[in-house]
Amino acid sequence: MALHTLPELPYDYAAPAPVISPEIIELHHDKHHAAYVKGANDAVEQLAEARDKESWGSVNGLEKNLAFHLSGHILHSIHWQNMTGPKEGGGEPLAQDGVGDLAEAIKESFGSFAGFKAQLSKAAATTQGSGWGVLAYEPLSGRLIVEQVYDHQGNVGQGSTPILVFDAWGHAFYLQYKNQKADFIDAMWAVVNWQDVARRYAAAEERGGGPLLEP
């Protein structure tokens, strides 16, 4: 059995419209994300075969394939949950909405929500080529950081846990926004599901840095 499967969307294709068109959501999920799932499973199977045969000539390529496809699968799985419809999402995380701990963590780590929003927007919009802008929990300091991720796995702090991800690959926006990546990132803030981001932050904070620090 395959280790990894394509998760179902938590909404229909039209839910994030007009920020993201139904056509993009369908292609993005059913084709692109599905390809990363298949790539991760293929790499796992090929590495198992290499172990069985003690044939390590292609191990470098297989490990790179696994990192690329598995990271793509993980980030996309978070991406779908991070979004909701524009009537339910967006705005700023506030205590009265039940996400006060996240709001305080953002203020503590970045000085203000406005400063955080500007940094994540710029990180996502200025990726060279393909990549992501990511808000992550960094377990050693217990603070939130913004990461600019190249492809799916490059330029990442070890041990950090992504809790909010903006897909800056062309397949995420080009059919609708053409080459205006910055416009797409600005629009994405209207569909952020802060309830999901807050749950991810709480889970990451609960885990903490123990496994990284303890002998």
Side-chain angles (χ1 to χ4, degrees):
M1 293 181 61
L3 286 178
H4 304 286
T5 58
L6 180 67
E8 293 185 6
L9 290 172
Y11 36 70
D12 61 40
Y13 296 138
V19 173
I20 308 176
S21 70
E23 182 184 16
I24 288 178
I25 296 292
E26 182 176 6
L27 289 171
H28 195 171
H29 177 267
D30 296 2
K31 301 299 182 182
H32 290 281
H33 188 173
Y36 299 129
V37 173
K38 182 180 185 304
N41 286 326
D42 287 349
V44 168
E45 292 178 3
Q46 291 162 3
L47 284 163
E49 183 179 355
R51 291 193 300 273
D52 291 342
K53 295 181 178 179
E54 296 187 0
S55 175
W56 302 110
S58 59
V59 65
N60 286 344
L62 291 176
E63 294 289 1
K64 289 179 180 178
N65 284 342
L66 179 60
F68 177 83
H69 288 102
L70 182 56
S71 295
H73 174 33
I74 290 169
L75 289 172
H76 279 92
S77 296
I78 297 170
H79 177 64
W80 307 125
Q81 299 289 337
N82 275 170
M83 287 193 296
T84 187
K87 291 183 179 180
E88 298 82 22
E92 179 178 346
L94 300 171
Q96 55 260 42
D97 297 324
V99 292
D101 288 347
L102 172 65
E104 284 300 315
I106 289 173
K107 183 177 180 180
E108 180 180 353
S109 297
F110 300 99
S112 66
F113 176 77
F116 151 68
K117 182 179 179 180
Q119 184 177 344
L120 181 54
S121 294
K122 290 297 183 182
T126 60
T127 50
Q128 294 178 333
S130 301
W132 300 72
V134 173
L135 173 66
Y137 177 82
E138 194 280 291
L140 293 184
S141 67
R143 295 171 70 90
L144 296 173
I145 60 171
V146 164
E147 296 183 316
Q148 188 180 58
V149 180
Y150 291 99
D151 290 336
H152 302 305
Q153 77 284 17
N155 211 34
V156 177
Q158 294 299 314
S160 62
T161 301
I163 64 172
L164 173 62
V165 300
F166 281 2
D167 192 341
W169 282 64
H171 62 238
F173 64 88
Y174 207 86
L175 286 177
Q176 186 174 354
Y177 292 84
K178 303 299 186 279
N179 64 334
Q180 301 303 313
K181 185 190 296 186
D183 290 347
F184 166 67
I185 299 301
D186 286 343
M188 277 292 297
W189 289 100
V191 293
V192 172
N193 183 350
W194 290 115
Q195 299 295 326
D196 180 69
V197 180
R199 286 191 294 269
R200 295 180 186 279
Y201 168 69
E205 187 181 37
E206 183 178 357
R207 288 193 299 270
L212 293 178
L213 298 175
E214 296 171 0

